Amino acid sequence: MKIIKFLFKVALAMILIFFVLAFFGEKTYQVKRSIVIKSNAQIVWEQVSNYSNWPNWSPWQENDPTVTNQFFGVPGTTEHSMSWIGDKDLSGTGNMKITSIDPNKSLDYLLTFEVPFAMHSDGGMTLTEKNGETILTWFDKGDIPFIMRPFMVFMDLEGQIAPDFERGLFKIDSLVRLQKVNQILK
C-alpha cells in the first residue's frame, strides 16, 4: 500500500510539474540569421523570391537528395508556392506559400509540415540594400502549443534551425558571387 501511495504522489508531482512548465514555458520561438552579400538586392531577390531556385541553395535539399519538389503559381507573387516530399527523418513532407511580398525588400511565407508531424510556422526574408551590398535576413517564428511547452526545456530550436539558415545564406552568397563571375567572363 505504501508503494501505491508513493507512486501516486510521484505521478501527481510529475503531472503538476508538466502543467507548471506548460503554463510558464515559452509560448513562441523565433530564429533569425543574416548575411551581407556584395551585390544589389535585385540579384539576391531572384534567388529567394522564386521557389524553383531554392533547391540550388537549400540546406535541406543538400541534406536529403531524395527530396522531390513541385512549384506552383507565378514566382515573386503571393500565388507562388512549393511542396516537397522527402525522407521522413530528414526533410519530411510539406509546403510553403508566399503570404506577402514587397519586391526586392521582403517576402513572408507560411511553412507547413505534414510529415514527420503536423506543424506550421511563419517565416520570411528581408533584404536591405546599402552601398551596393545587400543584408539578407532569414527568419522563422511560430507558436509553441501548450502541450509541447514542457518538452522545450529539453529542445534547442535555435540550435536546430540556425545552422541550416546559416548554410542556406552562405550558399545564396556563393551563388550570387558565381553569377557575378560568370557575367564578367561573358
Side-chain angles (χ1 to χ4, degrees):
M1 190 66 165
K2 285 184 180 184
I3 289 181
I4 293 174
K5 282 184 180 181
F6 174 75
L7 291 175
F8 179 75
K9 287 179 182 180
V10 168
L12 190 60
M14 290 177 70
I15 291 169
L16 181 62
I17 290 169
F18 181 88
F19 280 101
V20 167
L21 289 174
F23 187 73
F24 291 108
E26 292 291 325
K27 294 169 180 52
T28 62
Y29 74 92
Q30 180 170 354
V31 177
K32 183 188 296 188
R33 289 294 185 271
S34 298
I35 191 170
V36 176
I37 299 176
K38 294 182 185 311
S39 184
N40 65 48
Q42 174 61 39
I43 292 172
V44 177
W45 180 253
E46 291 169 8
Q47 289 298 320
V48 301
S49 66
N50 184 343
Y51 283 142
S52 63
N53 289 332
W54 284 48
N56 299 327
W57 54 264
S58 166
W60 301 288
Q61 188 85 29
E62 182 179 48
N63 292 336
D64 183 2
T66 69
V67 170
T68 57
N69 299 296
Q70 288 189 299
F71 308 100
F72 308 95
V74 179
T77 71
T78 56
E79 300 302 314
H80 195 42
S81 65
M82 72 179 288
S83 64
W84 66 90
I85 298 173
D87 183 293
K88 70 178 178 69
D89 296 322
L90 296 175
S91 56
T93 299
N95 60 72
M96 188 164 30
K97 182 177 184 347
I98 294 176
T99 57
S100 71
I101 199 159
D102 185 0
N104 297 325
K105 294 183 180 173
S106 68
L107 70 83
D108 294 325
Y109 58 75
L110 174 63
L111 172 65
T112 304
F113 279 96
E114 298 157 12
V115 173
F117 49 85
M119 69 146 293
H120 72 273
S121 65
D122 297 302
M125 302 213 176
T126 60
L127 295 82
T128 307
E129 186 175 342
K130 187 174 184 179
N131 301 326
E133 296 181 333
T134 302
I135 300 169
L136 176 60
T137 301
W138 191 359
F139 67 90
D140 190 72
K141 60 185 177 180
D143 295 325
I144 301 171
F146 183 82
I147 200 75
M148 291 300 296
R149 291 179 197 157
F151 301 107
M152 301 316 287
V153 171
F154 308 104
M155 294 180 70
D156 178 16
L157 288 178
E158 178 88 15
Q160 291 176 342
I161 298 170
D164 289 336
F165 279 16
E166 291 165 1
R167 177 70 178 154
L169 292 170
F170 171 80
K171 289 181 75 175
I172 292 170
D173 183 43
S174 298
L175 285 169
V176 168
R177 287 174 191 252
L178 183 61
Q179 186 177 9
K180 287 174 76 174
V181 167
N182 286 337
Q183 287 174 351
I184 291 170
L185 293 177
K186 286 185 180 180

